[in-house]
Amino acid sequence: MKFAALSLALLAATPAAAQSYRDRLPEDEVLYFLLPDRFENGDTANDRGGLRGDRLVTGFDPAAKGFYHGGDLKGLLKRLDYVQALGATAIWVGPIFKNKAVQGPKGQELAGYHGYWVTDFTRVDPHLGTNADFKALVDAAHARGIKVYMDIIVNHTADVIQYRECGNCAYRSRADYPYARKGGVTGEAINGGFAGDQVQTAENFAKLTRPDYTYTPFVPAAEKDVKVPAWLNDPIYYHNRGNSTFAGESSTMGDFVGLDDVMTEHPRVIAGMIEIFGSWIDRFGIDGFRIDTARHVNPEFWQAFVPAMLARAKAKGIPNFHIFGEVADPDTSALARHTRVDKLPAVLDFAFARAVNAVSAGEVGTDRLAAVFAADPLYEGGEAAAQKLPTFIGNHDQGRAAYFLRKANPQASPAELLARDQLAHAMLLLLRGVPTIYSGDEQGFVGDGDDQNAREDMFASKTAVYTDNLLLGTDRTNAVANFNPDHPLFREIATLSKLRRGHPALTRGRQLLRFAGDKPGLFAVSRFDPVTGAEMLIAFNTSPEPWSGKIEVEPGSTGFTALAGQCPSAAAAPGSLSLTLPAFGYAVCAAGAPK
C-alpha cells in the first residue's frame, strides 16, 4: 500500500455530512471492540474486585487465560487518545455488568472476566470500576465525538440456579415434560390453566406458579439474593429445562452451557429487561447495544424490546441508537431471518467474516464474497439495511483474522501474512457495512485459536500462552504493552478509516458488484455517493501474482483520481477502466460527479 499517495488523496476528501456525533448514522461509524479486562489496567486497586482470598474467590490471576487480568474502565479512559488516533468513531465495550466472579465445577473453575455471567444488571462490576467510572468514560468519549455501545445480555444470567436431580443436566423438552405436570407426563398436575408459553399475556403467566415441571430448581442459600433486580432471584422466571443442545426448541429454552436461561416469553421478564436496559440509556446516554446470544431468545421478546429501546433513546435525544444482535451463523438466510422475524435492526455479519477470512487467505475464489452481498436484499429493509450490519474479520469468540491467515498458509512468510492481513482490513473498511476492529488486530495479534485463545492483553501480559505468540508486522510480543501507533496495521487502519469517513460513498453509498471469480484474484465493486452519484471503483487482488485488466465502470465516469493504490487518470473507453494491482494489493479510484 502506498501510504504517501493515500495521504495526499485524503487532503481533498470531503468532510462527513454529519457534524455532531448524535447526527451520524450507524453506517457512518468505525467500531472498535474490546474486552475491558484485557485492554488497559488504569487502577490496580480494583484488580480483585474488592474481594479477599485466592483466585477462586477474587477471580484475579493474570497468569491464567480464563481469569481476570486487571483491565478496567479507567484504563480505557486513559487510552482514548489511542482509540481516536486509530480512527474509531464508536467503541463497543464488552459487558461491564457485575458478574459472578468465579463459577464452574471443582477443578474447572473460570472467572467472569469477559462479562457474560451477570448477577447485577444495574451496576458496573467492581473488577472494572464503578458506575461513576463508566459515566466518566462515556462523557469523555462523547466530548471527542466518539460513541459508546454497550454489550448486553438478556438470554441468561450467571449460573446460580441448581437442579436437585443432577448437576450437568440434559435438556428436557416441552413434549416430554409439559408445564402442566411435575417431572414428566405421569407426574402431579401443576400450573392449572396455564396455556403454554406461546400465550404471552400477564393473565396466562399468572397461572404458571411452579417451576418444577422438568427439574426441581433451587437457589443455594448463600446466593438467594445475589441477583439484581430482585425479581431475577425467582426460578419462576427461568426455563429450567437443562442444557441447550443449540438445536430445535432447546436453542431458545435451554441453559447456555449451564447458565440460567431466562424465560423471555414471560411478560414480567419483558417489562423488567426493558426497565433494566432503558435505565442505562437514561443514566449514561450511551449510543447503542450489541446483543449477546440474540438468536437464543424468542422473537416476540425482541419485537417488544427493540421499539422500547429506540423510543427510550429518542426521548434522551439519541436519534440514531444502533442495535445489533449476535447471530453466530455464516448463513446469510439465517442472519436475515432474525431481522425479518425478530425485527432486530441489524445483526453482526458473520457471513462477511467467514467470506473475507477465506478469500483473503486464498482458500476460495472471490465469488464467495460476492455471494454474501448478493443476499443483501434478504434483510428487512433490503440493501440499505445491509449497510448497517456491523462487519468484522475477527473477534473474541471465533478468533482473529491473522490466526485464520496463518492457519491457511502455514508456509507463508511474515511479509506475505502481513500483506494478506492488510488486504483483509482494506476489505473490512471499504466495503458495505459498519467496520468493526477487534482490539489487538491493529497491533498484529494472532492468537492461538478461538475464545480464551483470542483474548490477549493489550497491556503487558503475564499469561504464557499469550506471551509466546509471534505477532505480525512487529518484533514485539504480548509480554509488553502494545499501543504502537507506528505498527503497519495500525497505520493502515487509521489511514483507511480517515478515507472512509471523508467520503459518503464509502459509508452510505450503494454498492454494485463489478467482478468476482471462482479463483483467487480480482474482486471489484463500485460505490456511489448518495448525493452526487459520483462513482468510486474499489478493486482488490487476493492472488500472490499481480493482476492487470479492464473493469467495467459507469459510461459517464471518465476521469479518475487515485485515493488508494494506483489508478489511471482517465477511462480506457466509456464504461471501461484499465487497472493494474500488485499481489495482495488494492486500489480506490474516484470518478467525478456524473455529467
Side-chain angles (χ1 to χ4, degrees):
M1 188 69 259
K2 299 293 192 295
F3 285 107
L6 183 49
S7 297
L8 287 173
L10 288 175
L11 295 177
T14 57
Q19 299 302 312
S20 165
Y21 74 94
R22 292 291 197 205
D23 295 330
R24 296 196 309 258
L25 300 180
E27 56 264 44
D28 295 336
E29 310 302 342
V30 175
L31 274 171
Y32 187 69
F33 166 53
L34 58 90
L35 294 176
D37 178 67
R38 301 298 165 92
F39 190 66
E40 178 64 296
N41 192 341
D43 184 1
T44 57
N46 63 27
D47 287 355
R48 291 170 175 77
L51 302 170
R52 295 181 180 274
D54 63 14
R55 72 175 198 158
L56 296 184
V57 176
T58 69
F60 178 68
D61 183 357
K65 63 182 179 180
F67 283 74
Y68 285 97
H69 287 184
D72 49 39
L73 296 176
K74 286 183 178 178
L76 175 52
L77 177 63
K78 170 185 172 183
R79 293 292 185 179
L80 284 181
D81 281 344
Y82 172 85
V83 175
Q84 190 166 32
L86 182 64
T89 63
I91 303 171
W92 157 14
V93 183
I96 61 171
F97 312 104
K98 187 178 186 301
N99 267 229
K100 189 170 183 176
V102 178
Q103 66 180 41
K106 185 176 178 59
Q108 301 177 41
E109 299 91 348
L110 293 171
Y113 69 92
H114 42 68
Y116 296 104
W117 299 344
V118 183
T119 55
D120 187 341
F121 285 85
T122 67
R123 68 181 180 113
V124 170
D125 190 288
H127 291 87
L128 306 180
T130 65
N131 286 13
D133 291 338
F134 185 58
K135 186 176 190 310
L137 170 65
V138 174
D139 291 348
H142 284 169
R144 296 168 179 260
I146 297 174
K147 295 181 180 180
V148 177
Y149 294 0
M150 293 185 75
D151 199 326
I152 69 169
I153 308 97
V154 166
N155 177 67
H156 57 263
T157 70
D159 183 11
V160 174
I161 297 173
Q162 305 299 310
Y163 303 136
R164 297 200 183 279
E165 291 81 358
C166 47
N168 187 24
C169 299
Y171 185 78
R172 290 179 170 178
S173 71
R174 288 177 294 188
D176 291 330
Y177 293 85
Y179 292 106
R181 293 290 185 271
K182 172 178 166 56
V185 294
T186 61
E188 170 194 354
I190 59 174
N191 298 320
F194 180 60
D197 51 51
Q198 297 303 302
V199 181
Q200 295 167 11
T201 64
E203 293 77 13
N204 182 48
F205 272 87
K207 299 169 185 175
L208 181 68
T209 58
R210 288 180 57 172
D212 55 344
Y213 37 84
T214 299
Y215 292 107
T216 308
F218 71 98
V219 176
E223 297 182 291
K224 66 182 182 67
D225 297 317
V226 72
K227 294 181 184 179
V228 179
W231 60 267
L232 283 164
N233 293 298
D234 190 339
I236 200 68
Y237 298 122
Y238 299 83
H239 288 123
N240 303 310
R241 288 189 173 275
N243 286 330
S244 177
T245 65
F246 304 106
E249 71 173 56
S250 84
S251 180
T252 58
M253 293 196 163
D255 294 341
F256 193 102
V257 196
L259 300 170
D260 299 350
D261 196 71
V262 181
M263 185 177 277
T264 45
E265 299 85 357
H266 200 302
R268 177 66 182 91
V269 171
I270 297 172
M273 290 297 183
I274 286 173
E275 182 50 38
I276 285 170
F277 295 110
S279 174
W280 286 92
I281 297 173
D282 295 343
R283 290 181 290 157
F284 300 97
I286 42 97
D287 306 282
F289 287 149
R290 178 265 189 182
I291 304 171
D292 182 65
T293 52
R295 69 185 302 187
H296 300 301
V297 174
N298 59 300
E300 298 86 354
F301 178 89
W302 299 127
Q303 292 164 11
F305 181 85
V306 167
M309 293 301 97
L310 295 176
R312 199 80 166 245
K314 187 175 182 180
K316 183 71 174 177
I318 309 169
N320 295 306
F321 196 83
H322 196 193
I323 298 176
F324 53 96
E326 179 200 23
V327 177
D329 194 325
D331 182 348
T332 51
S333 64
L335 295 172
R337 184 172 66 250
H338 288 275
T339 68
R340 287 191 173 272
V341 178
D342 299 20
K343 301 302 181 183
L344 289 170
V347 291
L348 282 159
D349 197 345
F350 278 81
F352 177 95
R354 181 70 62 87
V356 171
N357 289 153
V359 167
S360 62
E363 294 180 297
V364 297
T366 58
D367 55 358
R368 177 71 63 85
L369 190 53
V372 172
F373 298 131
D376 283 355
L378 297 178
Y379 293 93
E380 182 71 21
E383 293 180 351
Q387 293 183 348
K388 301 181 189 297
L389 304 180
T391 51
F392 65 99
I393 55 177
N395 67 16
H396 62 315
D397 288 329
Q398 73 168 29
R400 296 185 181 276
Y403 170 78
F404 296 115
L405 291 171
R406 183 174 282 174
K407 183 179 180 182
N409 299 276
Q411 304 305 317
S413 68
E416 178 184 332
L417 291 174
L418 177 61
R420 287 185 182 275
D421 203 336
Q422 289 174 313
L423 179 66
H425 277 94
M427 291 178 169
L428 177 65
L429 283 148
L430 296 173
L431 296 173
R432 75 98 179 100
V434 186
T436 305
I437 311 298
Y438 177 37
S439 66
D441 282 1
E442 77 280 9
Q443 295 295 330
F445 286 15
V446 178
D448 294 316
D450 61 4
D451 197 71
Q452 296 175 23
N453 292 315
R455 299 175 181 180
E456 306 96 316
D457 305 308
M458 291 287 287
F459 55 98
S461 182
K462 298 179 181 179
T463 310
V465 293
Y466 297 158
T467 59
D468 66 356
N469 290 348
L470 296 176
L471 311 188
L472 295 186
T474 181
D475 293 329
R476 299 162 74 93
T477 72
N478 289 109
V480 298
N482 284 280
F483 296 96
N484 179 17
D486 292 323
H487 190 287
L489 281 166
F490 184 101
R491 287 188 286 111
E492 183 192 43
I493 291 169
T495 305
L496 287 173
S497 175
K498 187 174 182 181
L499 175 65
R500 185 180 189 278
R501 289 180 286 117
H503 293 276
L506 297 177
T507 55
R508 306 182 184 187
R510 177 174 63 91
Q511 179 172 292
L512 175 66
L513 178 69
R514 291 302 190 185
F515 186 86
D518 61 0
K519 294 180 177 59
L522 179 66
F523 181 77
V525 301
S526 289
R527 301 196 67 181
F528 299 89
D529 187 289
V531 176
T532 68
E535 180 177 9
M536 193 172 288
L537 179 73
I538 308 166
F540 308 90
N541 179 18
T542 68
S543 168
E545 303 296 330
W547 180 91
S548 292
K550 293 179 173 58
I551 303 174
E552 182 183 8
V553 293
E554 295 298 296
S557 297
T558 55
F560 289 85
T561 301
L563 301 184
Q566 301 296 318
C567 302
S569 60
S576 179
L577 186 72
S578 297
L579 198 63
T580 296
L581 297 170
F584 312 126
Y586 59 92
V588 181
C589 308
K595 298 178 181 179

mmCIF file with all atom_site columns, all heavy atoms in Angstrom, residues 178-192:
data_model
loop_
_atom_site.group_PDB
_atom_site.id
_atom_site.type_symbol
_atom_site.label_atom_id
_atom_site.label_alt_id
_atom_site.label_comp_id
_atom_site.label_asym_id
_atom_site.label_entity_id
_atom_site.label_seq_id
_atom_site.pdbx_PDB_ins_code
_atom_site.Cartn_x
_atom_site.Cartn_y
_atom_site.Cartn_z
_atom_site.occupancy
_atom_site.B_iso_or_equiv
_atom_site.pdbx_formal_charge
_atom_site.auth_seq_id
_atom_site.auth_comp_id
_atom_site.auth_asym_id
_atom_site.auth_atom_id
_atom_site.pdbx_PDB_model_num
ATOM 1   N N   . PRO A 1 178 ? -44.197 -31.404 30.014 1.00 0.00 ? 178 PRO A N   1
ATOM 2   C CA  . PRO A 1 178 ? -45.079 -30.245 29.847 1.00 0.00 ? 178 PRO A CA  1
ATOM 3   C C   . PRO A 1 178 ? -45.201 -29.437 31.141 1.00 0.00 ? 178 PRO A C   1
ATOM 4   O O   . PRO A 1 178 ? -44.983 -29.955 32.243 1.00 0.00 ? 178 PRO A O   1
ATOM 5   C CB  . PRO A 1 178 ? -46.419 -30.875 29.454 1.00 0.00 ? 178 PRO A CB  1
ATOM 6   C CG  . PRO A 1 178 ? -46.366 -32.249 30.036 1.00 0.00 ? 178 PRO A CG  1
ATOM 7   C CD  . PRO A 1 178 ? -44.927 -32.678 29.955 1.00 0.00 ? 178 PRO A CD  1
ATOM 8   N N   . TYR A 1 179 ? -45.569 -28.182 30.984 1.00 0.00 ? 179 TYR A N   1
ATOM 9   C CA  . TYR A 1 179 ? -45.720 -27.286 32.129 1.00 0.00 ? 179 TYR A CA  1
ATOM 10  C C   . TYR A 1 179 ? -46.791 -27.776 33.106 1.00 0.00 ? 179 TYR A C   1
ATOM 11  O O   . TYR A 1 179 ? -46.761 -27.430 34.284 1.00 0.00 ? 179 TYR A O   1
ATOM 12  C CB  . TYR A 1 179 ? -46.095 -25.878 31.655 1.00 0.00 ? 179 TYR A CB  1
ATOM 13  C CG  . TYR A 1 179 ? -45.013 -25.153 30.887 1.00 0.00 ? 179 TYR A CG  1
ATOM 14  C CD1 . TYR A 1 179 ? -45.109 -24.992 29.496 1.00 0.00 ? 179 TYR A CD1 1
ATOM 15  C CD2 . TYR A 1 179 ? -43.916 -24.611 31.536 1.00 0.00 ? 179 TYR A CD2 1
ATOM 16  C CE1 . TYR A 1 179 ? -44.131 -24.312 28.784 1.00 0.00 ? 179 TYR A CE1 1
ATOM 17  C CE2 . TYR A 1 179 ? -42.932 -23.932 30.829 1.00 0.00 ? 179 TYR A CE2 1
ATOM 18  C CZ  . TYR A 1 179 ? -43.047 -23.794 29.447 1.00 0.00 ? 179 TYR A CZ  1
ATOM 19  O OH  . TYR A 1 179 ? -42.073 -23.126 28.756 1.00 0.00 ? 179 TYR A OH  1
ATOM 20  N N   . ALA A 1 180 ? -47.726 -28.583 32.620 1.00 0.00 ? 180 ALA A N   1
ATOM 21  C CA  . ALA A 1 180 ? -48.878 -28.996 33.432 1.00 0.00 ? 180 ALA A CA  1
ATOM 22  C C   . ALA A 1 180 ? -48.621 -30.196 34.336 1.00 0.00 ? 180 ALA A C   1
ATOM 23  O O   . ALA A 1 180 ? -49.522 -30.619 35.062 1.00 0.00 ? 180 ALA A O   1
ATOM 24  C CB  . ALA A 1 180 ? -50.063 -29.294 32.508 1.00 0.00 ? 180 ALA A CB  1
ATOM 25  N N   . ARG A 1 181 ? -47.415 -30.752 34.295 1.00 0.00 ? 181 ARG A N   1
ATOM 26  C CA  . ARG A 1 181 ? -47.109 -31.906 35.141 1.00 0.00 ? 181 ARG A CA  1
ATOM 27  C C   . ARG A 1 181 ? -45.745 -31.720 35.789 1.00 0.00 ? 181 ARG A C   1
ATOM 28  O O   . ARG A 1 181 ? -44.815 -31.181 35.182 1.00 0.00 ? 181 ARG A O   1
ATOM 29  C CB  . ARG A 1 181 ? -47.098 -33.205 34.320 1.00 0.00 ? 181 ARG A CB  1
ATOM 30  C CG  . ARG A 1 181 ? -48.455 -33.619 33.781 1.00 0.00 ? 181 ARG A CG  1
ATOM 31  C CD  . ARG A 1 181 ? -49.393 -34.073 34.877 1.00 0.00 ? 181 ARG A CD  1
ATOM 32  N NE  . ARG A 1 181 ? -50.670 -34.576 34.341 1.00 0.00 ? 181 ARG A NE  1
ATOM 33  C CZ  . ARG A 1 181 ? -51.729 -33.814 34.110 1.00 0.00 ? 181 ARG A CZ  1
ATOM 34  N NH1 . ARG A 1 181 ? -51.670 -32.508 34.341 1.00 0.00 ? 181 ARG A NH1 1
ATOM 35  N NH2 . ARG A 1 181 ? -52.844 -34.352 33.655 1.00 0.00 ? 181 ARG A NH2 1
ATOM 36  N N   . LYS A 1 182 ? -45.613 -32.225 37.003 1.00 0.00 ? 182 LYS A N   1
ATOM 37  C CA  . LYS A 1 182 ? -44.336 -32.176 37.704 1.00 0.00 ? 182 LYS A CA  1
ATOM 38  C C   . LYS A 1 182 ? -43.472 -33.357 37.265 1.00 0.00 ? 182 LYS A C   1
ATOM 39  O O   . LYS A 1 182 ? -43.876 -34.509 37.413 1.00 0.00 ? 182 LYS A O   1
ATOM 40  C CB  . LYS A 1 182 ? -44.543 -32.226 39.218 1.00 0.00 ? 182 LYS A CB  1
ATOM 41  C CG  . LYS A 1 182 ? -43.253 -32.363 40.028 1.00 0.00 ? 182 LYS A CG  1
ATOM 42  C CD  . LYS A 1 182 ? -43.529 -32.363 41.524 1.00 0.00 ? 182 LYS A CD  1
ATOM 43  C CE  . LYS A 1 182 ? -42.311 -32.832 42.314 1.00 0.00 ? 182 LYS A CE  1
ATOM 44  N NZ  . LYS A 1 182 ? -41.102 -32.035 42.040 1.00 0.00 ? 182 LYS A NZ  1
ATOM 45  N N   . GLY A 1 183 ? -42.324 -33.053 36.690 1.00 0.00 ? 183 GLY A N   1
ATOM 46  C CA  . GLY A 1 183 ? -41.353 -34.088 36.356 1.00 0.00 ? 183 GLY A CA  1
ATOM 47  C C   . GLY A 1 183 ? -41.775 -35.066 35.291 1.00 0.00 ? 183 GLY A C   1
ATOM 48  O O   . GLY A 1 183 ? -41.364 -36.229 35.317 1.00 0.00 ? 183 GLY A O   1
ATOM 49  N N   . GLY A 1 184 ? -42.593 -34.678 34.338 1.00 0.00 ? 184 GLY A N   1
ATOM 50  C CA  . GLY A 1 184 ? -42.975 -35.569 33.255 1.00 0.00 ? 184 GLY A CA  1
ATOM 51  C C   . GLY A 1 184 ? -44.464 -35.794 33.168 1.00 0.00 ? 184 GLY A C   1
ATOM 52  O O   . GLY A 1 184 ? -45.231 -35.410 34.059 1.00 0.00 ? 184 GLY A O   1
ATOM 53  N N   . VAL A 1 185 ? -44.925 -36.438 32.102 1.00 0.00 ? 185 VAL A N   1
ATOM 54  C CA  . VAL A 1 185 ? -46.354 -36.552 31.794 1.00 0.00 ? 185 VAL A CA  1
ATOM 55  C C   . VAL A 1 185 ? -47.142 -37.348 32.819 1.00 0.00 ? 185 VAL A C   1
ATOM 56  O O   . VAL A 1 185 ? -48.365 -37.186 32.945 1.00 0.00 ? 185 VAL A O   1
ATOM 57  C CB  . VAL A 1 185 ? -46.557 -37.174 30.389 1.00 0.00 ? 185 VAL A CB  1
ATOM 58  C CG1 . VAL A 1 185 ? -46.028 -36.250 29.312 1.00 0.00 ? 185 VAL A CG1 1
ATOM 59  C CG2 . VAL A 1 185 ? -45.898 -38.541 30.297 1.00 0.00 ? 185 VAL A CG2 1
ATOM 60  N N   . THR A 1 186 ? -46.478 -38.222 33.583 1.00 0.00 ? 186 THR A N   1
ATOM 61  C CA  . THR A 1 186 ? -47.197 -39.013 34.591 1.00 0.00 ? 186 THR A CA  1
ATOM 62  C C   . THR A 1 186 ? -47.140 -38.384 35.976 1.00 0.00 ? 186 THR A C   1
ATOM 63  O O   . THR A 1 186 ? -47.658 -38.952 36.940 1.00 0.00 ? 186 THR A O   1
ATOM 64  C CB  . THR A 1 186 ? -46.607 -40.433 34.673 1.00 0.00 ? 186 THR A CB  1
ATOM 65  O OG1 . THR A 1 186 ? -45.233 -40.352 35.065 1.00 0.00 ? 186 THR A OG1 1
ATOM 66  C CG2 . THR A 1 186 ? -46.718 -41.144 33.329 1.00 0.00 ? 186 THR A CG2 1
ATOM 67  N N   . GLY A 1 187 ? -46.544 -37.196 36.067 1.00 0.00 ? 187 GLY A N   1
ATOM 68  C CA  . GLY A 1 187 ? -46.360 -36.558 37.370 1.00 0.00 ? 187 GLY A CA  1
ATOM 69  C C   . GLY A 1 187 ? -47.599 -35.839 37.867 1.00 0.00 ? 187 GLY A C   1
ATOM 70  O O   . GLY A 1 187 ? -48.658 -35.808 37.217 1.00 0.00 ? 187 GLY A O   1
ATOM 71  N N   . GLU A 1 188 ? -47.456 -35.237 39.011 1.00 0.00 ? 188 GLU A N   1
ATOM 72  C CA  . GLU A 1 188 ? -48.525 -34.464 39.661 1.00 0.00 ? 188 GLU A CA  1
ATOM 73  C C   . GLU A 1 188 ? -48.971 -33.313 38.760 1.00 0.00 ? 188 GLU A C   1
ATOM 74  O O   . GLU A 1 188 ? -48.163 -32.654 38.109 1.00 0.00 ? 188 GLU A O   1
ATOM 75  C CB  . GLU A 1 188 ? -47.978 -33.928 40.986 1.00 0.00 ? 188 GLU A CB  1
ATOM 76  C CG  . GLU A 1 188 ? -48.871 -32.911 41.682 1.00 0.00 ? 188 GLU A CG  1
ATOM 77  C CD  . GLU A 1 188 ? -48.146 -32.183 42.795 1.00 0.00 ? 188 GLU A CD  1
ATOM 78  O OE1 . GLU A 1 188 ? -46.972 -32.551 43.092 1.00 0.00 ? 188 GLU A OE1 1
ATOM 79  O OE2 . GLU A 1 188 ? -48.734 -31.235 43.357 1.00 0.00 ? 188 GLU A OE2 1
ATOM 80  N N   . ALA A 1 189 ? -50.293 -33.084 38.749 1.00 0.00 ? 189 ALA A N   1
ATOM 81  C CA  . ALA A 1 189 ? -50.826 -31.961 37.981 1.00 0.00 ? 189 ALA A CA  1
ATOM 82  C C   . ALA A 1 189 ? -50.470 -30.649 38.656 1.00 0.00 ? 189 ALA A C   1
ATOM 83  O O   . ALA A 1 189 ? -50.718 -30.466 39.847 1.00 0.00 ? 189 ALA A O   1
ATOM 84  C CB  . ALA A 1 189 ? -52.337 -32.092 37.839 1.00 0.00 ? 189 ALA A CB  1
ATOM 85  N N   . ILE A 1 190 ? -49.883 -29.739 37.884 1.00 0.00 ? 190 ILE A N   1
ATOM 86  C CA  . ILE A 1 190 ? -49.492 -28.425 38.415 1.00 0.00 ? 190 ILE A CA  1
ATOM 87  C C   . ILE A 1 190 ? -49.821 -27.356 37.376 1.00 0.00 ? 190 ILE A C   1
ATOM 88  O O   . ILE A 1 190 ? -50.184 -27.661 36.248 1.00 0.00 ? 190 ILE A O   1
ATOM 89  C CB  . ILE A 1 190 ? -47.982 -28.371 38.761 1.00 0.00 ? 190 ILE A CB  1
ATOM 90  C CG1 . ILE A 1 190 ? -47.135 -28.669 37.513 1.00 0.00 ? 190 ILE A CG1 1
ATOM 91  C CG2 . ILE A 1 190 ? -47.645 -29.341 39.883 1.00 0.00 ? 190 ILE A CG2 1
ATOM 92  C CD1 . ILE A 1 190 ? -45.628 -28.495 37.717 1.00 0.00 ? 190 ILE A CD1 1
ATOM 93  N N   . ASN A 1 191 ? -49.707 -26.119 37.771 1.00 0.00 ? 191 ASN A N   1
ATOM 94  C CA  . ASN A 1 191 ? -49.884 -24.964 36.882 1.00 0.00 ? 191 ASN A CA  1
ATOM 95  C C   . ASN A 1 191 ? -51.204 -25.046 36.105 1.00 0.00 ? 191 ASN A C   1
ATOM 96  O O   . ASN A 1 191 ? -51.245 -24.855 34.879 1.00 0.00 ? 191 ASN A O   1
ATOM 97  C CB  . ASN A 1 191 ? -48.701 -24.838 35.906 1.00 0.00 ? 191 ASN A CB  1
ATOM 98  C CG  . ASN A 1 191 ? -47.387 -24.612 36.632 1.00 0.00 ? 191 ASN A CG  1
ATOM 99  O OD1 . ASN A 1 191 ? -47.322 -23.861 37.618 1.00 0.00 ? 191 ASN A OD1 1
ATOM 100 N ND2 . ASN A 1 191 ? -46.316 -25.248 36.172 1.00 0.00 ? 191 ASN A ND2 1
ATOM 101 N N   . GLY A 1 192 ? -52.289 -25.311 36.832 1.00 0.00 ? 192 GLY A N   1
ATOM 102 C CA  . GLY A 1 192 ? -53.603 -25.458 36.226 1.00 0.00 ? 192 GLY A CA  1
ATOM 103 C C   . GLY A 1 192 ? -54.031 -24.240 35.439 1.00 0.00 ? 192 GLY A C   1
ATOM 104 O O   . GLY A 1 192 ? -53.960 -23.108 35.929 1.00 0.00 ? 192 GLY A O   1
#
